[in-house]
Amino acid sequence: MSEPIVSSLAKALRVLECFTVSEPELGVTEISKKLGIGKSNAHNIISTYCQMGYLQQLPNRKYTLGYKLLEHAFIINQHLGYPHAVYDLLLEAAERTGQVVYFGIPYETDVLYLYVAHPIARMKELPYREICGERALLCTTGIGKAILANLPPEEWLSRIPETIPAHTPQTITDPAQVLQELQATRERGFSIDNCEHEANVRCTGMPVYNARGRLVAGISSSGPAQVMTDRKLQECADILLDITQRIRERLYA
């Protein structure tokens, strides 16, 4: 990545990047340590963000992302056109597969999850996890592998980090083996996450194209390993293929 043109602006933006799903609340000291900047500098940036609504201070004196960011997130979401184009079909996919269905888009080396849909009849059985806004490596997830395998092979290495964390004992951490997996995925027509990102969870994924034939996203069906047998994975993949073909007819951007 090239050096930012305005380094002070980059420093300020990195304050916002400190907040994650696992760490939604941070204090000035924590932020200054994460970024390697002085506490007074961090405090000035944070105070400016609070004045503008991008951060807010909590009763415990820590800070969290402000509602102003939701306005921008809503604009992006509406501009992409996905809410009206895909969500009803994600719900249909969840009902037909009987499993949780995810929808995400590629973001550098990651997949950025936008939506999750659950089969209504199994809401009490299946663990609910609001994954929207989370990121995960393309090469370790069902959606990610479906997207990555269908990008030009010359792009694969640039989307695979040099060090792949082992989320579970099943995670493929050797980049050479990841390339083999992507080739197998490409030939098979759908991806398989074999408990690689979460223990005891298998899923299958399919790429999502728009009406112009451009790869824009991915969709996956996920469930307990004992339920998601090879036969069930194939069944889910067939359903997802039908769903993605219908999504394609709706996406023009």
Side-chain angles (χ1 to χ4, degrees), residues 47-63:
S47 297
T48 302
Y49 275 138
C50 285
Q51 289 177 354
M52 300 183 68
Y54 291 97
L55 290 178
Q56 57 183 331
Q57 190 171 36
L58 302 170
N60 62 6
R61 310 300 295 172
K62 289 192 174 187
Y63 298 87

Side-chain angles (χ1 to χ4, degrees), residues 149 153 156 177-189:
W156 289 355
Q177 292 183 19
V178 171
L179 294 178
Q180 293 176 4
E181 173 70 7
L182 293 177
Q183 185 59 44
T185 298
R186 197 180 181 98
E187 294 170 359
R188 187 191 307 118

Side-chain angles (χ1 to χ4, degrees), residues 113-131:
Y113 291 94
L114 295 186
Y115 311 114
V116 58
H118 287 67
I120 302 301
R122 302 192 64 202
M123 285 292 286
K124 293 182 179 180
E125 299 175 42
L126 297 174
Y128 185 85
R129 180 183 173 198
E130 183 53 77
I131 201 172

